Amino acid sequence: MPTEFGALSLAPPLVAIVLAIVTRRALLSLFIGVWSGGIIYSGSLGIVQTFDWIVSAIGEDVFHAQIIVFVSLLGAGIALIWRMGGSLAVANYATSRLDSHRKVGLATWILGMIWFFDDYANTAIVGSSMKDIADEMNMSREKLAYLLDSTAAPVATFGISSWVAYQISMIQTGYDAAGISDVAPSAFLTFVRSIPYNLYCLFAIVMVGIIVLMRRDFGEMLDAEHRAQSTGKVNRDGAQPLQSMKDDLGDVETDSPMVRFFTIPILALVSVVVVGVVWSGYSPGASAIDMAESADFMGALVWGSFAMAATALVLSLVYDILSLDEGMETVLDGFGIMLHAIAILVLAWSIGAVAGALETGAYVTEIAAGFITPALLPIVILVAGAFISFSIGTSWGTMALVTPVAIPLAWEVSGGSSEMLAVATGAVFSGAIFGDHCSPISDTTVLSSTFAGADHIDHVRTQIYYALTVAAVATVGYLLYGLTGLPQIVLIPVGIALLVAVVYALSELDARRKGLSATPFVRRERDSPADD
């Protein structure tokens, strides 16, 4: 059934994305994108409709409100930790142990994989923990943002998390749309079977390890890393990082910073989140998956961020570092450092509302459905999902749009194959995360920029080279599967080997073209006895 707005539905997200990349002004670009949607939708100047969408993004969606509260409270906690010297103490403690660029990258990667419960908490905790240490090793903020972003969401798609619960619910929605709930495997079983077919997420996680271990970069990331290593500037001149502690919060208030000022608030955050998830999802006899499906992950994050901020405030008072008035001023300063990120999130959500009203996802899916064969099915789903996610800036929204179409299609073109259901499901998740990683209007991309202290558009511009590389290798994997039927136990190692070869080749070619070294920080690490 043709959508009402057709190709015009693509205009608002594309306008926002193109303007954001060209002008590097995310807020202005997003607002113009929403406004253009208001004009198309209303057929008039569109001001009223534009602000209806913006206000609704803030006030009518409880999930959005929870994210705003979580980010704000997390900002307060981070600000208090900074003023007490907790971040400085951790940096001082870790610098003697994480004494190379590669070790910092490895620590960030490993921590990101360990914290698989939620991508928002992953980005916040790992970013806050590693940022000062990364600065000590002259790691560019763009690189740190990439390490955070390309680990957090992919890892969350595999662990016991809010993502998994949501993905299983989307599979069931697809079953209902196809009318196959009584004959297909359970939604949970299809999810488990889809894991080895979720090639983009698997390869994205591996790609981070390859980049860190091989110590090679290409594209704009190579430029960023050379700048940081040669000049010590972790952000480029003129950058607008979403979070800058020294500029926004001033100097540390103590001459004797202690690691406990960092670890105790972070432990409070982690403990309350874990306990909150278990408590909100628990029921007698429930399995871990049942608990994950019913748990209030976002509520737990809000409670945890409050515990973090409250614990940090109490510590600052007990150790007589801040007075109560200074502590509350720091809390407000912490809210302030998150305002830019919150504004971008609200406008990104508004773009999502525009895409829903103009039926952008339905239009793209309708176009893709016209030329599907069994061999091409996973590739078509990957590309359609990626374009939708790139356009609307939300992987969850993309899953909601694509899964109810992809599962019936997979069942139909395969003659009722349960394996093809798993393949299609993995391709949906891959496309959703890939597009999300490339989109400047993605909330998870915004949060990665925020907690890395990076300029948001710089993060998008540097990460997109790596995301496209991973997606290309994933596409090759899907194509080989479609043409040969090779099992994933063969295709995944082949894909990893191909990633290694592509990273090496692109880093060498780009470095020669620019007259730079493909490994700009090797010399610094060789100076470290720990790496000899």
Side-chain angles (χ1 to χ4, degrees):
M1 181 178 176
T3 58
E4 180 182 352
F5 296 96
L8 268 180
S9 66
L10 300 175
L14 290 181
V15 165
I17 289 164
V18 171
L19 281 177
I21 292 173
V22 172
T23 68
R24 299 179 184 255
R25 301 295 183 200
L27 282 175
L28 177 62
S29 302
L30 285 167
F31 179 76
I32 292 174
V34 177
W35 191 1
S36 67
I39 292 171
I40 294 169
Y41 186 77
S42 65
S44 62
L45 192 57
I47 293 293
V48 173
Q49 183 61 60
T50 296
F51 282 97
D52 280 348
W53 280 324
I54 292 172
V55 171
S56 297
I58 300 172
E60 292 188 8
D61 191 311
V62 173
F63 183 73
H64 289 175
Q66 287 178 314
I67 291 175
I68 291 172
V69 173
F70 164 66
V71 170
S72 299
L73 287 171
L74 210 59
I78 290 169
L80 286 163
I81 289 172
W82 170 265
R83 293 292 295 277
M84 290 191 296
S87 299
L88 179 61
V90 168
N92 293 340
Y93 175 82
T95 298
S96 60
R97 293 161 177 81
L98 299 177
D99 55 2
S100 72
H101 190 288
R102 181 164 57 180
K103 287 181 180 179
V104 171
L106 277 173
T108 304
W109 182 47
I110 292 169
L111 286 173
M113 289 190 288
I114 291 172
W115 187 261
F116 55 80
F117 302 102
D118 183 85
D119 59 323
Y120 291 155
N122 186 323
T123 302
I125 292 171
V126 178
S128 300
S129 302
M130 300 305 299
K131 184 169 63 176
D132 291 329
I133 307 169
D135 286 353
E136 287 287 332
M137 292 296 110
N138 287 343
M139 177 183 286
S140 68
R141 294 285 179 84
E142 295 95 325
K143 183 68 165 286
L144 180 59
Y146 160 70
L147 299 180
L148 298 175
D149 203 1
S150 289
T151 306
V155 164
T157 63
F158 301 126
I160 299 176
S161 67
S162 54
W163 282 74
V164 170
Y166 182 76
Q167 289 166 327
I168 292 171
S169 72
M170 287 297 99
I171 295 170
Q172 187 59 53
T173 300
Y175 279 6
D176 295 340
I180 59 174
S181 295
D182 295 333
V183 294
S186 70
F188 172 68
L189 185 57
T190 295
F191 165 75
V192 173
R193 289 175 174 172
S194 76
I195 290 175
Y197 298 104
N198 189 352
L199 293 184
Y200 178 83
C201 291
L202 287 171
F203 290 157
I205 296 168
V206 172
M207 176 76 164
V208 173
I210 291 170
I211 291 291
V212 169
L213 290 170
M214 291 181 66
R215 302 183 290 186
R216 287 181 174 273
D217 289 290
F218 56 90
E220 294 192 35
M221 190 71 81
L222 179 60
D223 300 326
E225 283 292 273
H226 267 279
R227 180 203 67 231
Q229 291 297 312
S230 60
T231 69
K233 296 178 180 178
V234 294
N235 275 310
R236 64 175 172 83
D237 291 333
Q240 295 182 327
L242 296 188
Q243 186 190 96
S244 177
M245 291 299 182
K246 292 180 181 178
D247 292 342
D248 294 332
L249 300 176
D251 295 325
V252 172
E253 292 294 322
T254 178
D255 294 326
S256 304
M258 292 186 279
V259 173
R260 71 188 67 174
F261 296 153
F262 180 91
T263 56
I264 293 176
I266 293 296
L267 284 173
L269 168 65
V270 173
S271 301
V272 172
V273 169
V274 172
V275 171
V277 167
V278 173
W279 176 76
S280 63
Y282 176 78
S283 60
S287 66
I289 296 299
D290 292 333
M291 290 174 61
E293 287 180 339
S294 57
D296 184 2
F297 280 88
M298 203 63 239
L301 288 173
V302 172
W303 309 329
S305 59
F306 172 75
M308 174 187 178
T311 301
L313 180 60
V314 169
L315 282 173
S316 72
L317 297 175
V318 168
Y319 282 88
D320 199 27
I321 298 171
L322 300 173
S323 67
L324 182 59
D325 287 343
E326 290 171 335
M328 293 311 299
E329 282 183 14
T330 303
V331 168
L332 295 177
D333 289 339
F335 292 164
I337 64 174
M338 296 298 183
L339 280 180
H340 192 188
I342 289 171
I344 292 179
L345 284 173
V346 169
L347 288 173
W349 294 329
S350 302
I351 280 281
V354 173
L358 300 183
E359 299 179 291
T360 304
Y363 174 73
V364 174
T365 305
E366 179 184 292
I367 296 298
F371 52 90
I372 291 180
T373 65
L376 290 177
L377 176 64
I379 297 175
V380 172
I381 293 174
L382 172 72
V383 173
F387 187 79
I388 292 169
S389 185
F390 181 78
S391 300
I392 67 177
T394 164
S395 50
W396 281 33
T398 300
M399 293 175 197
L401 290 167
V402 178
T403 310
V405 176
I407 285 182
L409 275 173
W411 187 260
E412 183 67 26
V413 302
S414 66
S417 166
S418 59
E419 182 180 3
M420 189 55 73
L421 289 178
V423 174
T425 300
V428 169
F429 300 157
S430 288
I433 302 297
F434 167 44
D436 194 71
H437 278 167
C438 296
S439 178
I441 60 176
S442 159
D443 52 359
T444 51
T445 306
V446 172
L447 290 176
S448 296
S449 302
T450 300
F451 291 108
D455 181 286
H456 179 53
I457 302 303
D458 288 350
H459 167 44
V460 174
R461 290 169 66 109
T462 50
Q463 176 167 265
I464 198 167
Y465 293 87
Y466 295 169
L468 288 169
T469 301
V470 172
V473 173
T475 300
V476 171
Y478 285 130
L479 185 60
L480 286 174
Y481 170 79
L483 295 177
T484 67
L486 285 173
Q488 296 306 95
I489 196 171
V490 176
L491 288 177
I492 290 174
V494 168
I496 293 172
L498 184 56
L499 270 179
V500 172
V502 170
V503 168
Y504 181 86
L506 289 179
S507 64
E508 285 293 324
L509 288 171
D510 201 30
R512 290 175 186 173
R513 182 176 63 85
K514 296 174 179 177
L516 301 172
S517 167
T519 54
F521 36 82
V522 171
R523 183 174 300 168
R524 179 182 178 89
E525 293 187 338
R526 284 176 179 166
D527 291 339
S528 170
D531 268 5
D532 289 337

